[in-house]
Amino acid sequence: MKKLFPFLILLFALRVVAQNAIAIRAGAVVDPATGSVAKNQVILIESGKIKEIGPNVRIPNGATTVDLSHEWIFPGLMDAHVHLTLTEVTGGNAPFESFYLKETSTYRGLRGLRNAQDLLRAGFTTVRELGNDGNYATEDVRRAIQAGMFDGPTILTAGKIIAPFGGQSTAIPAEQGPFWRYEYIDADTPDEVRKAVRQNIYYGVDVIKLVADNSPFHFSVEEIKAAVDEAHHAGRTVAVHVYGGEAADNVIEGGVDSLEHGFFLTDEQLQKMKQKGIFLVGTDTPRSQLDIEGTSGGFFPPPEVLAPKIIDRLRRAYRLGVKMAFGTDTVIEVPNKSRSDLMFEYLAVWREAGIPNAEILKAMTSNPAELLHINQQRGTLAPGMAADIVAMPGNPMEDIEALRKINFVMKDGKIIRKP
Ligand SMILES: [Zn+2]
């Protein structure tokens, strides 16, 4: 008995592990990083992570098996630019500011949770939330997901947006006071920028979001550098909303991690981004959504002019070899369409810009994982990586629209939906 005892413990341990294990019989596994396809694989998942993947993986006794032998398997998708808690009012005379005048952070958080769940079911297992979430509402959405109250994607948060005086509001009468501070932090010197970065980090953010050119005045190189220095020392990246011009020069010179939007970037600016390894998160809005959002307010040309400019900028960025991550910035609601439906409409813009499917798929997985500094944990399917796995009936390398048909989602080893 004495000699048998360690053996029994081992048997018991194996049995526990096997009960916890899930084995996926995969028809084909697509690797976005290399563009390769491996047929008839088994993916063994234990404790939320991929343990083994290959054609001859032994399935332990007691493991749950999932038959996806007629499906194409892919890493969970990522969107590097979302606003989970925000719905922008479109049409009529509602000003941009109305969302933070009319909605509490609690209400915003509930909307954020709904959107987070919708995105996860559609296959987005990681999102980077870039602010406009009331009083840090997304921190609570994330906390509830992490506590196991709800299923949801991995969320990286930015908290309050840091901007020169006024946030993204315009011409609000002085009598009303700086009410935009519900969503934004005013910062008008390098020291104020540093303080704002520290405040956000104190409240738990992963990313610092700046808005650089929403006003006739914009951040200087020194202010951008202060944000980057402070954020990088705390292990955080810096994402900057900027469309082009001198503000974009300052942002690029300042050494940020990603430019958001960048609709009017020149080839010279894109080349500098490439040299510095700065990502473009182009939020390349399709014409159909520009028509709904409208481009009034004097900042943008009309949709029929802006839409081709966005496609052209995406094409130039790709040809010049700028690192790119998929980001949608979807903040509108359309009857009978979910938020994820609207996000998948962005794929048409990438297709029109002539970007190969393999590159689009990288921009939705391994590239954002690099930008978000989570590429050791997520973004590819390999032993040791988190089991964030999606599957669909068609091959996304051949038809990128196959992503809309995702019918299996696993998040950190938990099955969220099955065909
Ligand atoms: Zn945005």
Side-chain angles (χ1 to χ4, degrees):
M1 185 64 195
K2 212 175 177 185
K3 272 185 188 165
L4 252 180
F5 192 62
F7 178 67
L8 285 174
I9 287 184
L10 182 68
L11 259 186
F12 182 70
L14 279 174
R15 198 173 150 70
V16 168
V17 166
Q19 280 175 345
N20 182 14
I22 299 176
I24 296 175
R25 292 187 186 281
V29 177
V30 182
D31 180 354
T34 60
S36 61
V37 174
K39 293 268 174 84
N40 299 319
Q41 304 284 296
V42 172
I43 308 172
L44 183 63
I45 294 124
E46 277 181 20
S47 307
K49 289 190 175 160
I50 296 169
K51 190 167 185 238
E52 279 183 81
I53 180 166
N56 301 311
V57 174
R58 196 186 70 81
I59 299 177
N61 291 334
T64 307
T65 55
V66 180
D67 181 18
L68 299 175
S69 55
H70 300 289
E71 300 257 327
W72 297 79
I73 318 299
F74 199 65
L77 306 179
M78 299 187 182
D79 187 316
H81 192 127
V82 301
H83 302 282
L84 293 173
T85 73
L86 172 61
T87 295
E88 211 175 295
V89 181
T90 53
N93 293 316
F96 174 77
E97 297 82 5
S98 62
F99 57 87
Y100 50 91
L101 283 171
K102 295 277 194 184
E103 295 176 346
T104 63
S105 281
T106 309
Y107 184 69
R108 302 281 292 277
L110 290 168
R111 177 192 288 128
L113 180 59
R114 180 206 60 180
N115 286 336
Q117 292 180 329
D118 166 47
L119 298 197
L120 180 61
R121 283 186 59 78
F124 288 92
T125 53
T126 299
V127 296
R128 187 178 61 156
E129 155 80 32
L130 283 187
N132 283 128
D133 65 338
N135 205 20
Y136 300 99
T138 311
E139 295 299 324
D140 286 335
V141 174
R142 172 167 66 178
R143 182 190 270 191
I145 290 169
Q146 283 180 344
M149 292 182 205
F150 303 97
D151 293 322
T154 296
I155 304 172
L156 286 91
T157 64
K160 294 200 182 193
I161 295 171
I162 301 169
F165 187 81
Q168 283 176 275
S169 69
T170 36
I172 298 297
E175 290 92 324
Q176 303 304 328
F179 65 79
W180 56 83
R181 288 179 193 163
Y182 181 56
E183 304 248 341
Y184 297 85
I185 304 175
D186 290 331
D188 292 283
T189 65
D191 284 348
E192 285 183 6
V193 169
R194 283 184 189 277
K195 183 162 188 180
V197 169
R198 289 179 183 185
Q199 180 179 323
N200 265 340
I201 294 172
Y202 177 88
Y203 290 118
V205 310
D206 307 289
V207 184
I208 296 302
K209 163 82 178 290
L210 310 179
V211 164
D213 64 352
N214 196 75
S215 312
F217 45 85
H218 45 251
F219 277 135
S220 66
V221 177
E222 288 64 38
E223 285 159 345
I224 299 288
K225 281 188 171 165
V228 170
D229 183 60
E230 200 63 44
H232 284 183
H233 274 103
R236 266 69 170 180
T237 54
V238 178
V240 187
H241 161 119
V242 69
Y243 294 113
E246 187 187 284
D249 286 338
N250 293 353
V251 170
I252 296 164
E253 180 63 28
V256 305
D257 299 278
S258 65
L259 261 69
E260 311 297 312
H261 319 304
F263 296 156
F264 310 126
L265 291 170
T266 63
D267 282 358
E268 199 188 347
Q269 288 170 325
L270 289 166
Q271 257 150 5
K272 268 198 191 138
M273 286 172 66
K274 189 201 168 173
Q275 280 161 18
K276 289 184 157 231
I278 298 173
F279 273 86
L280 175 66
V281 181
T283 68
D284 310 277
T285 321
R287 168 75 196 268
S288 57
Q289 292 186 27
L290 290 176
D291 284 340
I292 296 167
E293 285 174 24
T295 54
S296 57
F299 211 75
F300 286 136
E304 63 270 23
V305 178
L306 182 58
K309 270 188 195 299
I310 290 174
I311 295 167
D312 174 62
R313 195 276 285 106
L314 186 56
R315 184 182 291 123
R316 287 185 291 115
Y318 169 65
R319 287 193 183 153
L320 290 167
V322 179
K323 287 202 267 191
M324 296 199 286
F326 184 78
T328 54
D329 201 21
T330 302
V331 291
I332 54 168
E333 296 203 354
V334 176
N336 304 317
K337 284 186 184 176
S338 65
R339 186 160 286 206
S340 51
D341 290 337
L342 295 168
M343 286 158 62
F344 282 127
E345 289 180 358
Y346 282 62
L347 293 172
V349 179
W350 287 67
R351 279 207 325 265
E352 264 192 85
I355 300 177
N357 290 344
E359 292 300 320
I360 303 176
L361 292 168
K362 264 192 225 176
M364 300 177 87
T365 51
S366 48
N367 287 7
E370 182 190 339
L371 168 63
L372 274 51
H373 292 188
I374 56 170
N375 51 348
Q376 301 300 311
Q377 295 88 42
R378 302 177 197 280
T380 48
L381 300 179
M385 301 292 278
D388 287 359
I389 300 170
V390 300
M392 64 216 94
N395 180 0
M397 295 289 255
E398 279 171 17
D399 176 13
I400 196 72
E401 298 293 338
L403 296 176
R404 288 178 187 262
K405 303 258 167 60
I406 285 172
N407 56 9
F408 172 88
V409 177
M410 173 180 274
K411 175 65 191 151
D412 284 319
K414 182 178 178 187
I415 297 170
I416 304 298
R417 69 184 288 192
K418 281 197 280 196

